[in-house]
Amino acid sequence: MKAEDEHGDGHEGVARRGGRRRGLLKAAGVVLAGALVISAAGVGWAYWHLNHNIKSVDINSALGDDRPPKAVSTPSASASASASPLPSGALNILVLGSDSRSGKANAELGGGSSSGARSDTAMVVHIDEGRTKATVVSIPRDTLVTRPSCPTASGGTTSVAYHAMFNSAYSVGGPVCAVKTVEAMTDVRMDHYIEIDFSGFASLVDALGGVTVTTDENIDDDKSHLHLKAGEHHLDGTQALALARTRHGIGDGSDLGRIGLQQKLVKALLKQMSSTALLTDPTKLYKVADAVTGSLTTDTGLDSLGELTKLGQSLKSLSSDEVKTVMMPVVTAPSDRNRVVADEPKASDLWASLK
């Protein structure tokens, strides 16, 4: 009888323990399912947030067909065999750094009046077919150009302007006029347009943990609040922005000296991005993505996280060592020693090489 009682108690104990285990497993399953739902919701919200950060302009519709022809590229054999190949053709992207003062962050960083903005920095990024090499051509903002007639948001058009400063195109007609002016002066089709403002650039540098740049001379510029000795410096976002904007403390104080610093900064940023393990650090990846998309304006061909991701993936074989930085050849303008004009035929030869 005693043995039976013990045997019975044993079964009951096992049943109770089994029930507890099943209960714990069930609870763990509920928690795990809940965590997955929350995680999925978080990822969904993050994607929605990043996607809605991006502002866009329909440049193709605004400019119509009166533009240089698109480059024709031949698909590679590997791309043809893939079900959904990444793009591999040559590409020209107009990248503008805007000095917009809209928003508190931009104003604090020294942006322009809240009623308007200028293209403080302009670069044409040419990516070779195969997307393993690239050339970045800086256009001095003080270049005198013939600014074409541009459509305006109100439905009208701007007048043709002769001997106008290059960066005035953005002021009078926004991204559409900036693209049209670049295409008119280069006869090269801009496949895409990307604009980033002051706060976005500074935030991007901070999200990457800063950027290391070597300067060849002392920089002492009270206007940009930048004071650096010649040598290697690890800069935060505010300092990197000041470096990109400084000109009074270097060389002859012209825009041409600043372009050299900007090109160094571009190369340094590319190296920083490639050395930062973003894919293994989701928190940093999101921080970088939020910094970029939060202050980005693109054409409608790049106005989604999916399109930007595809562009990024197509450039995975492009290293910073294969990025060449040059400036559009210019000479002092005969009419104004403080302005420059394209140095022909060198400038035309450069643009022709990008077709």
Side-chain angles (χ1 to χ4, degrees):
M1 187 71 180
K2 183 177 179 181
E4 290 176 358
D5 288 343
E6 288 175 352
H7 187 67
D9 289 344
H11 275 296
E12 290 173 4
V14 170
R16 283 194 298 272
R17 287 194 297 274
R20 283 196 297 271
R21 278 197 295 270
R22 285 192 295 274
L24 288 172
L25 288 172
K26 183 177 180 181
V30 170
V31 171
L32 178 59
L36 289 173
V37 168
I38 292 172
S39 177
V43 170
W45 179 86
Y47 186 92
W48 180 91
H49 174 72
L50 294 175
N51 215 39
H52 281 71
N53 269 348
I54 306 166
K55 300 177 286 294
S56 66
V57 178
D58 192 351
I59 289 172
N60 288 335
S61 294
L63 295 184
D65 297 326
D66 185 21
R67 304 177 67 185
K70 290 184 178 181
V72 178
S73 58
T74 305
S76 64
S78 58
S80 301
S82 175
S84 53
L86 289 170
S88 60
L91 209 59
N92 289 302
I93 305 172
L94 176 60
V95 179
L96 294 187
S98 164
D99 74 346
S100 169
R101 272 88 169 169
S102 62
K104 182 179 179 181
N106 279 319
E108 290 176 348
L109 289 169
S113 67
S114 58
S115 60
R118 296 163 298 180
S119 52
D120 201 55
T121 302
M123 297 178 178
V124 172
V125 179
H126 171 77
I127 303 166
D128 288 3
E129 186 162 357
R131 304 199 178 182
T132 59
K133 294 182 178 181
T135 302
V136 179
V137 184
S138 295
I139 302 174
R141 69 175 189 175
D142 294 339
T143 304
L144 297 181
V145 301
T146 297
R147 192 181 67 224
S149 174
C150 299
T152 62
S154 61
T157 57
T158 64
S159 300
V160 176
Y162 300 96
H163 306 293
M165 276 183 59
F166 168 75
N167 70 342
S168 69
Y170 185 96
S171 300
V172 301
V176 171
C177 198
V179 170
K180 187 167 185 179
T181 300
V182 169
E183 291 184 343
M185 66 185 286
T186 65
D187 195 33
V188 176
R189 172 77 167 241
M190 295 297 111
D191 300 292
H192 291 298
Y193 169 84
I194 295 176
E195 175 192 331
I196 188 166
D197 63 25
F198 279 5
S199 65
F201 178 82
S203 297
L204 170 61
V205 173
D206 285 335
L208 287 168
V211 63
T212 301
V213 177
T214 300
T215 57
D216 298 326
E217 58 181 295
N218 296 339
I219 298 175
D220 192 18
D221 189 350
D222 290 332
K223 291 192 175 183
S224 66
H225 308 292
L226 188 66
H227 304 277
L228 297 174
K229 295 292 184 182
E232 184 176 282
H233 302 277
H234 190 74
L235 309 177
D236 63 18
T238 301
Q239 292 170 319
L241 177 63
L243 183 68
R245 300 191 67 215
T246 192
R247 63 171 177 167
H248 298 287
I250 57 169
D252 61 0
S254 72
D255 191 45
L256 306 186
R258 173 169 59 178
I259 284 176
L261 291 175
Q262 291 174 347
Q263 291 176 340
K264 280 192 174 190
L265 197 52
V266 167
K267 298 275 282 190
L269 274 173
L270 289 174
K271 286 184 179 180
Q272 182 69 14
M273 287 180 181
S274 62
S275 65
T276 304
L278 296 178
L279 295 180
T280 59
D281 189 341
T283 301
K284 179 166 280 190
L285 176 61
Y286 176 80
K287 190 175 180 181
V288 170
D290 193 35
V292 172
T293 59
S295 54
L296 205 64
T297 301
T298 71
D299 65 282
T300 49
L302 289 179
D303 64 352
S304 72
L305 202 56
E307 291 294 340
L308 287 173
T309 300
K310 184 183 290 186
L311 174 62
Q313 290 173 335
S314 77
L315 302 177
K316 62 183 179 182
S317 298
L318 176 62
S319 71
S320 60
D321 293 333
E322 295 298 332
V323 178
K324 180 182 178 181
T325 56
V326 299
M327 183 178 71
M328 182 184 81
V330 294
V331 293
T332 302
S335 60
D336 187 342
R337 60 184 300 273
N338 294 315
R339 301 288 180 260
V340 295
V341 293
D343 184 7
E344 297 295 358
K346 294 178 182 178
S348 293
D349 291 344
L350 172 62
W351 298 124
S353 71
L354 306 186
K355 293 183 179 180

